[in-house]
Amino acid sequence: MLVVDYGAQYAQLIARRVREAGVYSEIVPNTLPLADLLARNPAAVILSGGPSSVYADGAPRIDPGLFDAGVPVLGICYGFHAMALALGGKVAQTGLREFGDTALDARPESSTLLAGTPERQPVWMSHGDAVHVAPFGFTVVAESGGSPVAAFEDDARRLYGIQWHPEVRHTQYGQQVLENFLFRGARLAGDWTTGSVIEEQVAIIRERIGDARAICGLSGGVDSAVSAALVQRAIGDALTCVFVDHGLLRAGEVEQVERDFVAATGVRLKVVDARDRFLDALAGITDPETKRKTVGREFIRVFEQAAREVVAEARQAERDSGGDAGREGTGGTEGGGEVRFLVQGTLYPDVVESGEGEGAANIKSHHNVGGLPDDLDFELVEPLRALFKDEVRAVGEQLGLPPEIVHRQPFPGPGLAIRVVGEVTRERLTVLRAADAIVREELTAAGLDRDIWQCPVVLLADIRSVGVQGDGRTYGHPVVLRPVNSEDAMTADWARLPFDLLARISNRITNEVPEVNRVVLDVTSKPPGTIEWE
């Protein structure tokens, strides 16, 4: 099934909800010609929302031929407006907007889309224009205060449209509406699983890399671990994982990678100690974007050096064994093959926030995406680029990775560099590591590791506050606890940790980390805040 992206930030979320229903989906840009779209033989099409008004100059349009192609179509928000206009309906600019939770009056007894849902239900709206007259042949099956035609359908042609966003969790019956379209309207079979991702990606990787070699930047997190496991399944020992100790890791992470991941996969692992290099490069930098780009640039430079060493080691091993050039072929060179490919654990939220999604704004560059230097010597392999975190975890479980890796809380590629607000120094990193280790220990002891999505600990390095310990005055740093719950990192809410747990964490940090005299809690959702502070 294809999702046509009209610039919605959550177009990928639509595809994700479709996959949850057991139907494989992909996203295509709205600029894709209709002939090319139909050449992909889609079983159904969903037209996403978007920021434009259908009456705005340059607003994307829909080729009306799509609706005569016999393909089931569902229009959502902007896709609904553009669909109605293309089919002869009326879309009005009334000036009355609906944003957020909205009460919907539905007619489920006569509807394919709304079957099994209540007559009055909460939905999530985000629109200014509204459909006022449905196209000929369509039945109106829902309305709201600002949308006289909030949903329409033509079962004979299997064409459907809705004003609200079923893909967001705020819409209580959104998943049921999507599944009604998929199974009742489009009559699809829900037999796709994450196992299909493994089979597909292994085949793609094997064909693309051929007889060349690849190197993977392993962080120890689930994203890079699953990427590495997929690529290893495809090309075996032609993959070497490089774990860069850049001095921005949390306590115990180097040992965890060497112990857990290597034991689970048997992958070739090369550990590079680059702590001095990264910290020297970050000296004096306080701007978050510059930090990210600096870390990304240094990562690539370290990988390039590691790749040269991998080739040299492979050649030496073959000479020692009396063998021939090992993996000659596409890009291969005598004595071990050229390392042409860099494997990265890029996920779709990284792509969206880096501004590479269709119509998406650049919120912050991810070190895998916006932070890469222009003179990159590698071709990128990103087998998880279209997936969300929960899908990646499901793939990891099917690949047999240990729970300690699969369910590890997300940790940013730039590491603690973006959790020190201010200049990154060895002394500040030591303080942050100590506080972070206490938080992780207490969350584990409370049995909450899998109950929250992530709990960044942030050091406000350029801020000090007055405190008192014993009989003396202190002037120390505050740290911020940022516990959040999320399904996909696109949106998040702050996690309501038990007060007694927060008290233990605060007491331990202020007692055991002398540079910190204040612990504060971040209770901001996303949006408006991002999960990380920088």
Side-chain angles (χ1 to χ4, degrees):
M1 202 215 73
L2 295 180
V3 177
V4 181
D5 185 0
Y6 284 93
Q9 185 178 4
Y10 300 121
Q12 184 75 7
L13 192 52
I14 299 172
R16 179 174 176 269
R17 299 297 184 223
V18 170
R19 294 177 193 175
E20 287 178 0
V23 176
Y24 180 68
S25 57
E26 294 182 358
I27 294 179
V28 295
N30 64 74
T31 53
L32 185 71
L34 177 61
D36 294 340
L37 185 149
L38 296 177
R40 301 183 65 167
N41 194 29
V45 171
I46 292 181
L47 309 174
S48 86
S52 300
S53 163
V54 288
Y55 295 111
D57 291 339
R61 291 284 186 260
I62 296 174
D63 188 329
L66 172 64
F67 307 116
D68 297 323
V71 178
V73 178
L74 170 65
I76 295 175
C77 197
Y78 179 85
F80 174 51
H81 299 159
M83 181 179 186
L85 206 61
L87 289 166
K90 181 179 179 181
V91 180
Q93 291 179 298
T94 63
L96 177 63
R97 299 184 176 188
E98 288 180 311
F99 291 102
D101 283 317
T102 305
L104 183 78
D105 292 313
R107 298 163 200 162
E109 72 285 347
S110 60
S111 170
T112 295
L113 284 181
L114 301 172
T117 69
E119 293 182 355
R120 185 83 167 176
Q121 55 185 280
V123 298
W124 188 263
M125 295 279 200
S126 181
H127 68 98
D129 296 348
V131 178
H132 276 225
V133 179
F136 178 77
F138 282 76
T139 301
V140 178
V141 294
E143 61 186 29
S144 70
S147 301
V149 180
F152 59 45
E153 51 191 55
D154 182 342
D155 276 319
R157 290 191 288 170
R158 296 190 290 172
L159 302 177
Y160 307 88
I162 56 176
Q163 178 60 74
W164 64 95
H165 289 271
E167 70 273 20
V168 301
R169 292 302 188 192
H170 303 82
T171 298
Q172 185 172 350
Y173 299 95
Q175 187 66 17
Q176 186 167 349
V177 169
L178 285 175
E179 292 183 8
N180 282 344
F181 168 67
L182 296 171
F183 304 135
R184 296 168 64 94
R187 303 165 204 159
L188 305 181
D191 55 3
W192 179 82
T193 67
T194 51
S196 307
V197 173
I198 296 173
E199 297 171 7
E200 177 187 81
Q201 285 299 322
V202 166
I204 291 172
I205 293 164
R206 185 174 292 141
E207 180 178 359
R208 183 178 177 202
I209 295 180
D211 291 332
R213 293 182 180 271
I215 191 170
C216 177
L218 193 66
S219 70
V222 61
D223 307 338
S224 62
V226 174
S227 296
L230 276 172
V231 174
Q232 187 194 38
R233 181 168 290 195
I235 65 173
D237 286 345
L239 171 70
T240 299
C241 288
V242 174
F243 181 77
V244 178
D245 183 359
H246 50 23
L248 306 170
L249 300 169
R250 296 182 295 187
E253 290 189 303
V254 176
E255 295 78 11
Q256 182 190 50
V257 169
E258 292 182 302
R259 179 185 67 243
D260 295 338
F261 186 73
V262 174
T265 63
V267 72
R268 296 185 183 206
L269 179 66
K270 182 180 183 66
V271 179
V272 179
D273 185 349
R275 288 174 292 181
D276 291 341
R277 174 175 183 156
F278 277 81
L279 292 174
D280 288 347
L282 288 166
I285 296 174
T286 59
D287 176 69
E289 274 294 280
T290 306
K291 286 182 184 178
R292 289 176 176 271
K293 292 179 181 298
T294 299
V295 172
R297 182 191 67 238
E298 295 303 317
F299 254 105
I300 295 303
R301 299 290 88 96
V302 171
F303 285 146
E304 288 171 340
Q305 178 59 36
R308 289 190 287 269
E309 293 174 3
V310 167
V311 171
E313 291 164 3
R315 290 174 176 169
Q316 185 60 50
E318 288 171 358
R319 283 194 293 269
D320 292 344
S321 64
D324 298 324
R327 290 183 58 87
E328 279 193 324
T330 307
T333 58
E334 183 179 357
E338 181 185 1
V339 179
R340 287 177 44 208
F341 297 93
L342 171 61
V343 180
Q344 294 197 135
T346 307
L347 304 191
Y348 189 74
D350 305 328
V351 176
V352 171
E353 290 196 337
S354 297
E356 287 198 4
E358 184 79 21
N362 186 351
I363 299 170
K364 59 185 180 183
S365 62
H366 183 267
H367 79 286
N368 284 356
V369 186
L372 296 179
D374 295 332
D375 57 343
L376 182 67
D377 285 347
F378 299 108
E379 297 179 45
L380 294 181
V381 175
E382 299 171 306
L384 309 178
R385 188 179 176 89
L387 300 183
F388 284 88
K389 183 74 72 174
D390 61 330
E391 293 176 321
V392 172
R393 288 194 170 113
V395 171
E397 288 176 341
Q398 295 205 22
L399 287 168
L401 294 179
E404 294 80 7
I405 289 179
V406 172
H407 293 287
R408 182 191 182 203
Q409 290 185 6
F411 186 62
L416 298 180
I418 58 170
R419 292 184 180 175
V420 174
V421 178
E423 182 183 5
V424 180
T425 67
R426 289 168 176 79
E427 294 74 22
R428 290 174 172 183
L429 288 169
T430 299
V431 172
L432 180 53
R433 277 195 196 94
D436 176 85
I438 290 170
V439 173
R440 288 191 288 150
E441 288 171 10
E442 290 295 337
L443 289 174
T444 299
L448 295 178
D449 282 340
R450 296 196 190 183
D451 291 341
I452 66 170
W453 171 268
Q454 191 176 0
C455 188
V457 180
V458 181
L459 176 66
L460 303 183
D462 290 338
I463 297 176
R464 290 181 179 269
S465 64
V466 175
V468 58
Q469 289 175 298
D471 294 323
R473 174 185 183 275
T474 64
Y475 193 50
H477 298 289
V479 295
V480 181
L481 308 184
R482 176 69 166 135
V484 296
N485 280 323
S486 180
E487 292 181 345
D488 45 43
M490 298 299 293
T491 61
D493 193 15
W494 65 281
R496 275 65 169 175
L497 297 182
F499 286 165
D500 58 346
L501 173 61
L502 291 172
R504 285 197 305 275
I505 289 173
S506 178
N507 287 339
R508 283 196 60 191
I509 290 176
T510 53
N511 287 335
E512 299 175 29
V513 187
E515 296 86 354
V516 176
N517 68 352
R518 197 176 297 270
V519 177
V520 300
L521 179 66
D522 184 345
V523 295
T524 311
S525 63
K526 176 187 178 181
T530 55
I531 293 177
E532 299 288 348
W533 273 48
E534 291 198 338

